[in-house]
Amino acid sequence: MKFDQKVLVNKPKSYQPKKNEDEKIMAKDAKEIKTKKTAKSEEKLWWVDSKGKRIDGRGLNDLRNIKIQAGVLPNADGSCYLEWGQNKVLVSVNGPREVLPKHQANPYKAIVRYTYRMAAFSVTERKNPRPGRRETEISKVSGEALEKAIFLERFPNTAIDIFVEVLDANAGTRIACLTAAAVAVADAGIPMRDMVSGITVGRADGKWIVDLNKHEEDAPDAVDMAVAFLPNTKDVTLLQMDGEITPEDFAALMKTAAENVEKVYELQKKALKESFENKKPEMVPGMEDFMNSTPHAEHEEHGERVSLKAKDPLSFDASDYDANENTELEENPDAEHEAFDGGKE
Ligand code: CDP
């Protein structure tokens, strides 16, 4: 490559642009900034119109459309697919199962391992597939929010693994995931003291609104509060907030959240009911004939003849079993003891 010696020689050693050149550059920059600002202010940026309608046509307290389907992954113990507006999430639950690595096991209760991940294609700008701090934080708080609803002490030394994948995101994904995860845990048949139902509430453009979308979350005065409840007791199991509000507004927002979360809870119950109705007990070949054959078609229950055919195989009444156990013990109080020591005496 040839160097232009003339230019190099003529150029001063420490080259500084002349003052008037600096001024020119600064003036150009200022003009550009001004043009951008003007363009932005001319854009029609609005969040709630004069009739109280939001940009996506919802009223102030309307949720986006929610669709919940339980039991979608046959390889998982429990699963759920949920759409919440544009958000699409998939949850798989495995457990209670052996804890690996073993040192994580708790001898008093099951541990919950909640993993929230966003697919690289779930947002407009590619999301780095490596788990970031945001995902670690959401996994932690969501796992703790679910723990409150599960009878963990019944499964010591085990783990309940919950994997959550966000396939498409438009604000409120942590709440969408938590809501779906609670359904998936119930779908896995893990005993729970209550459901966990979540909602976001907040403010955009000076108006208090429910279930914020991305546009509303990005409003200059936005308040974005994610809340999860045990819906029957209204105990709060998750509470996170962006933005600044007064204590009075906070109390009012919590009330709005508690009222509107009922809608989410109803949809969760509906999804679980539909899933259990579709689950047919697996019949061993010949089992159906056995159930229908005359000698076994009836049995005696509390002195009454009961037809097995009339019984819905899905209707399990725990009191039947307790009653039988108690009767045996009442008749022969030593029965349990005998069974234990092999009836030596
Ligand atoms: O989703 P959520 O509102 O629970 O959490 P957030 O951290 O407030 O994120 C709000 C929204 O920002 C997400 O729902 C995504 O739509 C978007 N987002 C994104 O575009 N890229 C990321 N890496 C993370 C979030």
Side-chain angles (χ1 to χ4, degrees), residues 87 116 118 123 127 134 138 169-175 214 217 224 242:
N87 291 323
Y116 167 102
M118 263 183 139
V123 283
K127 147 87 181 56
R134 176 179 169 274
I138 295 178
N170 186 306
T173 55
R174 75 194 65 205
I175 285 301
K214 183 85 176 81
E217 265 195 19
D224 173 24
D242 281 338

Side-chain angles (χ1 to χ4, degrees), residues 14 175 321:
S14 58
I175 285 301
Y321 290 80

Side-chain angles (χ1 to χ4, degrees), residues 321-334:
Y321 290 80
D322 291 340
N324 290 341
E325 277 170 26
N326 291 343
T327 327
E328 199 190 331
L329 281 178
E330 271 164 29
E331 281 167 4
N332 179 8
D334 293 332

Side-chain angles (χ1 to χ4, degrees), residues 197-199 229 231 234 256-266:
S197 313
I199 193 159
F229 295 93
K234 290 288 179 312
T256 312
E259 280 165 13
N260 285 281
V261 84
E262 285 298 318
K263 301 173 194 167
V264 180
Y265 178 45
E266 288 306 318

Side-chain angles (χ1 to χ4, degrees), residues 62-78:
D62 291 347
L63 299 178
R64 289 174 279 184
N65 284 337
I66 302 176
K67 189 182 128 192
I68 310 177
Q69 202 183 344
V72 288
L73 301 175
N75 286 343
D77 292 328

